[in-house]
Amino acid sequence: MKELFQKLTRDIYKNRVKRRTDKSFIKRATSAMCCLVALILIFNLGSIGSIMIFKGEEYSEIAADNQLSDTVLDPIRGTIYDRNMTPLAVSTAAWILSVNPSEIKKKFSSRPEHLEDFYEYLATNLSKILSVDKAETMEKLKKEGSLYQVIKKNVSGSERIAMQEFFAEKYVYEYQATERKFFFFESVVTKKGKVNAANFFDYESNSNREYAKGNFASTVIGVVNADNKGETGIEAYYDEELQGESGRILTATDVAGRVLDTSYEAYYDAVEGNGVVLTIDFEIQSYLENALNQAYDSLDCDGVYGIVMDVDTGAILALSDKPDFDLNNPRVLDDNVNTDTLKEFEKGTVEYSTEYSRLLYDQWSSFCVTNNYEPGSSFKIFCAAAALEEDIVDNIDSKIYNCTSHTSVADITYHCANYKAHGSQSLTQGLMNSCNTFFITLGQKLGIEKYYKYFEAFGFTERTGIDLANEAYSVVHKKDKMSKVDLASTSFGQGFRISPIQLITATCAIANGGDLMVPYLVGSIVDSEGNIINETEPTVKRKVISEDTAEKVAQMMTAVVDDGTGRNAKINGYAVAGKTASAQKLDDNADREVYVASFVCFAPADDPEVAILVGVDNTHDGYRSGGAVAAPIAKQVMEPTLEYLSVERKYTAEELSKISKSTPDLIGKTVSAAKSLASNQGLKVKIVGEGDTVISQMPAATQTIPQGGVIVLYTEKDSGSAKTKVPDFTGLTVSQVNSLAGEYCLNIVFSGPTNEAGVKAYAQSVAKGAKVDMGSSVTVTFKSDNIIMD
């Protein structure tokens, strides 16, 4: 034991000595360490100073970014209007409000007894502010395991502000907590918990593009993509103007990235883009679309299209193609689109997707602008203009050519339609008869050099410059490679392709006295307050022909409508100048001959205001003449358009004898006296009631009534107005329409070539089945199918 004690004592002593020996080392080590720390401190201070001086701003921004949540708001796209400021495409600022249910549950994991109350608090306020269903909202808030549930799409600006006010409040709840008092004692105390509801919700920008009119002018207006950028039409061409400025929401966050109280939120509104005011007129566009829809439904054809243009300015008043598509659902193929090619591919394959996209782009495109076709006989008006301008013909009424039904150029024989020999003709008669051989002869007399001069002058070798994307190029012969045979076919509108917009633009040059205009669809750019920023000025490209030549061509085109192949476009009181066409399409895949039937016209012929082009692509029912198929459609558009523009009618003596007269005032007269007075004016009466005196009438006094029409006379106060159902007049002859109208006690206003044998009703102003007052007037339009190919 003693030995052991001694050993331990020695060991302790040795260690003490050793510690004393190490003290100097420790001092030296400590000094060195202090110097090292000092050097590090000096270096760090220098670095911090350098950063503050040279990179202070940069790092401040980085620090700020790390403490801010930056949400970009999509810009509000500008509105597209018609020329009278009717909105056609409108964007509204909106948001998607979503919630993270898992985060809510996590927040209350330590206090689950308060979770139900918090759900109730949220669901009650959300349903009140956002007008959403409370039960559905509650279900979304409680969605087990979900990180994302949409509470509402399209949250409006006012709703967002209300939500900000709600989020600014703190949800407060009380709970009991056990706390340690002094060292050994514990006590239960009441505490308050605070929850910021904003931490569980998120906004996504969701600006909406809405088209109130659906299919209305769809190929003109165009579509936007998922990024709210224009993809086709006006939306694409004027995308830079329509795009607004992005807005932002800057929200303060803590070190963990959690959103702080909304009082730390800065909100910068997205700025609306500029508005685009089209030259399209809602009313005129409606006339065109209604007529084209009716034609597309009644004719067995691949498509119809039309353009209405102001002849003096080049402004497009209406433009439409059928079939078209719903602007609010543009990525679905219209039911009328031929989807046979899709059947060749399996759904889900790249090939199927590629073909579907191709069909979509075809559906979105305007045939009037992006496609071309052989114009056919409508092109003869430009050949006639060139011949007059070059003095090949000096008198449009002198008989200068004898048509034997055929002619030859370089051993190639050409025929008139149906091999008809027109005999001796003037230039006017040649145009009225649409004589192919006449215009082939004119073309040969002009020669390639002079003919091509006008071919270029009228704009057929260049694009028009219309403000719509993907305008088609024409496909024409090069002048230095053009042969006499090429000249022969070109002279009557075959062997080359141009776009409909090129044809109507050139026609307007004849209508306005010789000026080739640049067509345009946008009249002005306006800011969000409607103030004009930029206005389109009509642009004259060049003078093409003299006013004298233009006037003579207009006279000949008027004769085409009055007595030639365009008779179905004749309108009482309005002189219409026009030209029909039936152009064969070069389609190697077709199992029969296919045609584009078209009609181009302007009116009033003596003082033109508007021009119209209508085309019907590939009719399958045997009708392929522009005069039989397209001219009636143009008339349906032209007549209400001129009335809408307040163009005064100028009736001929013959027309005056057939038009409606003023209804006599028969109220207060005895029934027998009223019958006698009406009969003296060539009118019929229908008596309603058993009284002896007329107390009311239909039509009212001074209103127009057709010659031979019927007046309904009421003789009892409480008899009310007698109603009748409008029958279907289409397909009936003039006498059949008259007879049927009498049965239904309706007045008929006849329109079209009713004095020709075999004409039939084509359209009526009041739909079949509609209930109207007895004595009401219905306009029935007739057309002749006995028109030669043109």
Side-chain angles (χ1 to χ4, degrees):
M1 186 73 176
K2 182 179 179 181
E3 291 176 359
L4 177 61
F5 178 76
Q6 289 174 345
K7 184 176 183 302
L8 289 172
T9 303
R10 283 195 302 271
D11 289 342
I12 292 170
Y13 176 77
K14 287 178 181 179
N15 286 335
R16 283 179 179 173
V17 173
K18 188 175 180 181
R19 283 195 204 103
R20 283 195 210 105
T21 308
D22 290 343
K23 280 182 180 178
S24 60
F25 171 77
I26 291 171
K27 288 180 180 178
R28 291 195 301 272
T30 302
S31 298
M33 184 62 71
C34 288
C35 290
L36 180 60
V37 170
L39 288 172
I40 293 172
L41 183 60
I42 292 170
F43 176 79
N44 286 340
L45 288 172
S47 298
I48 293 170
S50 175
I51 290 171
M52 291 177 66
I53 295 169
F54 299 108
K55 292 191 175 182
E57 188 175 340
E58 178 183 344
Y59 281 94
S60 293
E61 290 178 1
I62 293 172
D65 287 343
N66 288 332
Q67 295 172 21
L68 288 176
S69 169
D70 188 357
T71 302
V72 177
L73 303 177
D74 287 343
I76 303 173
R77 197 167 176 82
T79 301
I80 298 177
Y81 305 91
D82 89 327
R83 71 172 183 164
N84 296 314
M85 298 302 288
T86 302
L88 302 177
V90 179
S91 285
T92 54
W95 296 267
I96 299 172
L97 178 66
S98 61
V99 66
N100 185 337
S102 295
E103 193 66 26
I104 296 176
K105 199 167 185 180
K106 180 181 175 182
K107 177 68 178 177
F108 282 88
S109 59
S110 61
R111 307 289 173 197
E113 68 274 15
H114 296 288
L115 186 56
E116 280 298 324
D117 288 340
F118 187 60
Y119 283 145
E120 178 66 24
Y121 166 76
L122 289 178
T124 299
N125 282 281
L126 290 172
S127 62
K128 189 185 302 182
I129 296 170
L130 302 176
S131 301
V132 293
D133 185 83
K134 182 178 176 180
E136 289 182 7
T137 302
M138 183 73 83
E139 186 179 340
K140 292 174 181 178
L141 293 170
K142 293 181 176 182
K143 194 73 173 179
E144 194 69 35
S146 175
L147 300 175
Y148 180 85
Q149 289 289 309
V150 174
I151 298 299
K152 184 177 181 179
K153 292 182 178 179
N154 303 329
V155 174
S156 68
S158 59
E159 288 174 330
R160 167 125 195 188
I161 292 171
M163 286 299 296
Q164 281 181 292
E165 293 172 356
F166 167 59
F167 284 153
E169 302 172 0
K170 289 285 196 304
Y171 177 74
V172 180
Y173 61 95
E174 292 184 348
Y175 65 95
Q176 290 183 330
T178 301
E179 290 194 344
R180 193 177 293 275
K181 298 294 183 181
F182 301 107
F183 189 76
F184 297 106
F185 303 101
E186 293 181 347
S187 65
V188 176
V189 296
T190 300
K191 286 192 171 185
K192 289 187 177 182
K194 295 182 179 181
V195 178
N196 188 348
N199 289 328
F200 310 120
F201 292 87
D202 193 20
Y203 285 107
E204 300 168 63
S205 181
N206 187 36
S207 175
N208 289 328
R209 194 65 164 169
E210 297 175 354
Y211 305 90
K213 311 300 179 183
N215 291 47
F216 188 83
S218 57
T219 57
V220 174
I221 295 171
V223 301
V224 294
N225 61 21
D227 296 323
N228 208 29
K229 295 186 183 299
E231 195 164 359
T232 65
I234 292 295
E235 294 277 28
Y237 198 92
Y238 285 91
D239 187 62
E240 189 174 335
E241 291 287 354
L242 290 163
Q243 280 287 352
E245 295 179 16
S246 297
R248 300 176 77 184
I249 301 174
L250 299 176
T251 308
T253 60
D254 60 19
V255 292
R258 293 185 294 264
V259 176
L260 298 177
D261 191 295
T262 52
S263 60
Y264 294 99
E265 181 176 275
Y267 180 79
Y268 301 93
D269 280 321
V271 178
E272 184 175 353
N274 291 328
V276 170
V277 182
L278 302 181
T279 56
I280 296 289
D281 187 294
F282 182 84
E283 293 298 327
I284 299 174
Q285 180 77 20
S286 298
Y287 301 147
L288 178 63
E289 296 217 6
N290 291 339
L292 295 184
N293 280 328
Q294 180 184 336
Y296 187 70
D297 291 341
S298 61
L299 297 171
D300 185 10
C301 63
D302 290 347
V304 292
Y305 57 85
I307 308 172
V308 183
M309 184 184 288
D310 184 313
V311 301
D312 292 317
T313 65
I316 305 295
L317 304 178
L319 189 152
S320 182
D321 311 81
K322 306 294 176 184
D324 51 15
F325 62 96
D326 183 357
L327 285 166
N328 293 306
N329 202 12
R331 297 178 196 282
V332 174
L333 291 172
D334 186 84
D335 292 339
N336 293 308
V337 173
N338 187 341
T339 57
D340 289 345
T341 54
L342 279 177
K343 298 173 184 176
E344 301 174 14
F345 310 105
E346 186 178 345
K347 277 190 176 181
T349 63
V350 174
E351 292 80 6
Y352 183 93
S353 178
T354 300
E355 180 60 15
Y356 192 91
S357 295
R358 186 190 68 81
L359 291 174
L360 268 185
Y361 274 95
D362 282 350
Q363 172 177 278
W364 295 341
S365 299
S366 168
F367 183 93
C368 295
V369 176
T370 64
N371 289 62
N372 50 40
Y373 73 119
E374 293 193 351
S377 293
S378 56
F379 198 78
K380 290 170 182 172
I381 61 177
F382 307 110
C383 183
L388 288 167
E389 195 74 3
E390 292 294 330
D391 293 325
I392 302 297
V393 178
D394 58 2
N395 189 322
I396 61 174
D397 296 318
S398 297
K399 295 191 175 183
I400 57 173
Y401 178 76
N402 184 49
C403 170
T404 60
S405 84
H406 63 276
T407 189
S408 296
V409 176
D411 298 326
I412 302 294
T413 301
Y414 298 89
H415 296 272
C416 280
N418 299 327
Y419 298 90
K420 181 177 178 63
H422 297 109
S424 181
Q425 302 172 103
S426 64
L427 183 58
T428 299
Q429 291 170 321
L431 197 65
M432 289 169 60
N433 296 325
S434 200
C435 178
N436 291 342
T437 62
F438 195 148
F439 286 91
I440 290 171
T441 303
L442 283 182
Q444 297 299 311
K445 287 184 177 180
L446 279 165
I448 293 172
E449 192 68 32
K450 288 182 179 179
Y451 189 90
Y452 214 88
K453 168 185 170 184
Y454 292 96
F455 194 79
E456 288 181 320
F458 275 110
F460 297 121
T461 60
E462 61 187 351
R463 296 197 289 187
T464 65
I466 188 172
D467 46 348
L468 205 61
N470 302 318
E471 182 181 358
Y473 287 97
S474 53
V475 180
V476 299
H477 300 288
K478 300 289 185 183
K479 183 171 70 171
D480 56 354
K481 295 183 178 179
M482 195 174 194
S483 67
K484 286 188 175 183
V485 171
D486 296 330
L487 177 59
S489 58
T490 301
S491 299
F492 66 99
Q494 296 281 8
F496 66 99
R497 296 199 302 275
I498 58 175
S499 64
I501 190 65
Q502 283 178 301
L503 184 69
I504 194 171
T505 301
T507 302
C508 285
I510 292 173
N512 66 29
D515 292 331
L516 186 70
M517 307 301 296
V518 176
Y520 60 99
L521 279 158
V522 171
S524 62
I525 305 295
V526 297
D527 63 20
S528 58
E529 300 297 321
N531 302 306
I532 295 176
I533 298 172
N534 186 31
E535 198 163 13
T536 304
E537 291 293 332
T539 303
V540 179
K541 269 192 175 181
R542 54 184 163 267
K543 190 76 172 177
V544 181
I545 53 176
S546 67
E547 289 188 16
D548 181 62
T549 294
E551 186 178 335
K552 288 177 179 176
V553 176
Q555 288 176 18
M556 293 189 291
M557 292 172 69
T558 306
V560 170
V561 175
D562 286 345
D563 298 301
T565 56
R567 298 188 300 279
N568 281 330
K570 190 172 182 178
I571 303 172
N572 289 337
Y574 295 126
V576 179
K579 183 66 189 80
T580 57
S582 306
Q584 186 173 355
K585 293 174 67 175
L586 301 178
D587 189 347
D588 296 333
N589 297 319
D591 56 3
R592 62 178 180 81
E593 290 184 346
V594 291
Y595 288 81
V596 173
S598 65
F599 181 71
V600 65
C601 63
F602 53 83
D606 58 343
D607 187 16
E609 293 207 19
V610 295
I612 294 177
L613 171 64
V614 169
V616 181
D617 185 19
N618 194 18
T619 58
H620 297 266
D621 57 4
Y623 294 116
R624 58 190 192 188
S625 161
V629 175
I633 304 171
K635 176 186 176 177
Q636 278 184 275
V637 182
M638 182 66 84
E639 186 165 17
T641 295
L642 293 176
E643 288 179 341
Y644 170 71
L645 296 175
S646 301
V647 178
E648 186 178 355
R649 292 182 189 252
K650 298 177 182 178
Y651 293 101
T652 64
E654 182 183 359
E655 289 170 343
L656 280 171
S657 66
K658 297 178 181 178
I659 64 172
S660 303
K661 58 169 59 182
S662 179
T663 305
D665 185 359
L666 303 179
I667 295 176
K669 294 180 170 52
T670 63
V671 170
S672 58
K675 284 182 177 179
S676 176
L677 183 58
S679 178
N680 290 338
Q681 295 191 28
L683 300 171
K684 301 185 285 288
V685 297
K686 178 178 177 59
I687 308 298
V688 177
E690 302 295 331
D692 296 324
T693 305
V694 178
I695 60 173
S696 64
Q697 67 181 71
M698 179 67 186
T702 71
Q703 286 188 350
T704 57
I705 186 171
Q707 292 281 4
V710 59
I711 307 173
V712 180
L713 304 178
Y714 296 90
T715 62
E716 296 177 358
K717 286 185 178 179
D718 299 325
S719 59
S721 60
K723 299 289 185 180
T724 187
K725 185 185 289 187
V726 178
D728 185 1
F729 293 112
T730 58
L732 303 182
T733 63
V734 172
S735 60
Q736 288 172 331
V737 168
N738 248 332
S739 176
L740 189 60
E743 292 178 24
Y744 286 83
C745 203
L746 290 169
N747 289 308
I748 299 299
V749 177
F750 293 93
S751 180
T754 53
N755 57 344
E756 292 187 22
V759 297
K760 292 183 179 180
Y762 169 71
Q764 57 191 73
S765 61
V766 182
K768 65 178 180 180
K771 288 187 176 181
V772 298
D773 291 339
M774 283 187 178
S776 296
S777 294
V778 178
T779 299
V780 178
T781 303
F782 291 81
K783 72 169 185 174
S784 172
D785 292 329
N786 301 323
I787 292 179
I788 61 170
M789 285 290 290
D790 40 26

